[in-house]
């Protein structure tokens, strides 16, 4: 089952995560598969460092892995091993920072010294990093945990007057209870919660994945629903994605109750692309010999109409 996906800016490289710990890179006509995590891959994010593409992945095994292309193959480096599952990670807008989150209400910031990045087999030993934690103040009755994080370059000035500091952008985090919070990068190179920001309840429960563009944040919620928050209008709307076309029967080895696994935005039309997966059938031979199953995926595009609603295009 696909659990997450990310693309580079040119849309030529796709990185996908699966529930069995597999990370797959697709750069047509080549496909690379690596069993890098133990258990579910929870997030994948893309960044550019010294004009080269990099990806990061997180998993329930507590590992934060950096991926880079070297000698026509994808290499990896474990940046962090945690005792608790990691839920999400993201590059800042200028790829100078990596932020990852866990289920103990912590977000950890890694500073990247781009000058020390070298594209060789020991690349990960040659860059310096400085870690620091972002404290999340919460109500005593609220369960801990940060489910999703991402970065946006700028937000409407009514509630978020500070412009993008040094290209880092605003850090957006969604808690395990669906509360959305925004953090700004201040002059002392620390993140702090934006004063006076409105209380935003993005979802009533777990949010599986998010994607940001311009003034919008889109998130995958339970019940096959995508919610889109408009920071300018301070409005939250829902999109109900089409259900899988195949009916379940005894031949289906696995079906995902929520087939949406990824979201991304198409510029410059500001179209939201919702990626879904169909139920797949696995023969006994494939199950016994651990053959990678054939997964059928579909994309649905939505755009905001003149009435302010998101419609399929």
């Amino acid at each position: 089952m696909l659990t997450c996906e990310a693309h580079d800016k040119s849309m030529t490289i796709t990185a996908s995560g699966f529930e069995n710990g597999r990370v797959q890179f697709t750069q047509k006509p080549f496909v690379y598969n690596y069993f890098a995590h133990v258990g579910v891959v929870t997030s994948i994010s893309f960044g550019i460092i010294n004009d080269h593409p990099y990806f990061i992945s997180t998993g329930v095994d507590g590992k934060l892995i950096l991926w880079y292309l070297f000698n026509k193959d994808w290499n990896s480096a474990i940046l962090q091993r945690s005792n608790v599952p990691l839920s999400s990670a993201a590059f800042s807008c200028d790829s100078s920072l990596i932020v990852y989150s866990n289920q103990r209400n912590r977000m950890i910031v890694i500073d990247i010294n781009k000058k020390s990045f070298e594209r060789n087999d020991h690349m990960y030993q040659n860059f310096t990093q400085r870690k620091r934690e972002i404290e999340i103040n919460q109500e005593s009755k609220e369960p801990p945990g940060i489910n999703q994080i991402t970065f946006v370059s700028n937000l409407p000035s009514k509630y978020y007057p500070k412009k993008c500091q040094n290209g880092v952008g605003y850090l957006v985090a969604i808690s395990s209870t669906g509360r959305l919070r925004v953090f700004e990068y201040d002059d002392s190179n620390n993140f702090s919660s934006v004063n006076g920001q409105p209380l935003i309840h993005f979802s009533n429960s777990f949010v599986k994945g998010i994607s940001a563009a311009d003034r919008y944040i889109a998130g995958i919620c339970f019940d096959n629903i995508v919610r889109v928050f408009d920071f300018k209008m301070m409005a939250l709307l829902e999109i109900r994605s089409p259900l899988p076309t195949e009916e379940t029967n005894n031949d289906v080895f696995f079906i995902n109750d929520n087939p949406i696994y990824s979201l991304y935005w198409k510029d410059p039309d500001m179209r939201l692309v919702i990626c879904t997966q169909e139920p797949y059938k696995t023969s006994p031979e494939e199950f016994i010999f651990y053959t990678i199953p054939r997964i059928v995926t579909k994309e649905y595009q939505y755009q905001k109409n003149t009435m302010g609603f998101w419609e399929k295009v």
Side-chain angles (χ1 to χ4, degrees), residues 248-286:
T248 60
N249 53 53
N250 295 332
D251 295 331
V252 175
F253 172 64
F254 180 86
I255 178 171
N256 182 12
D257 293 331
N258 185 354
I260 303 173
Y261 65 88
S262 179
L263 304 166
Y264 68 92
W265 295 87
K266 267 195 171 181
D267 294 328
D269 299 328
M270 290 308 298
R271 293 188 179 187
L272 175 62
V273 182
I274 299 176
C275 306
T276 67
Q277 55 189 324
E278 299 286 312
Y280 59 79
K281 299 178 181 180
T282 303
S283 66
E285 291 79 12
E286 289 177 321

Side-chain angles (χ1 to χ4, degrees), residues 174-192:
I174 298 180
S175 70
S176 58
T177 55
R179 183 177 178 182
L180 187 152
R181 299 184 185 184
V182 180
F183 299 83
E184 60 187 4
Y185 198 58
D186 56 32
D187 297 332
S188 59
N189 295 334
N190 289 309
F191 282 100
S192 58

Side-chain angles (χ1 to χ4, degrees), residues 207-222:
V207 177
K208 182 180 177 183
I210 56 176
S211 181
D214 193 33
R215 69 193 204 198
Y216 301 112
I217 295 285
I220 305 170
C221 306
F222 274 133

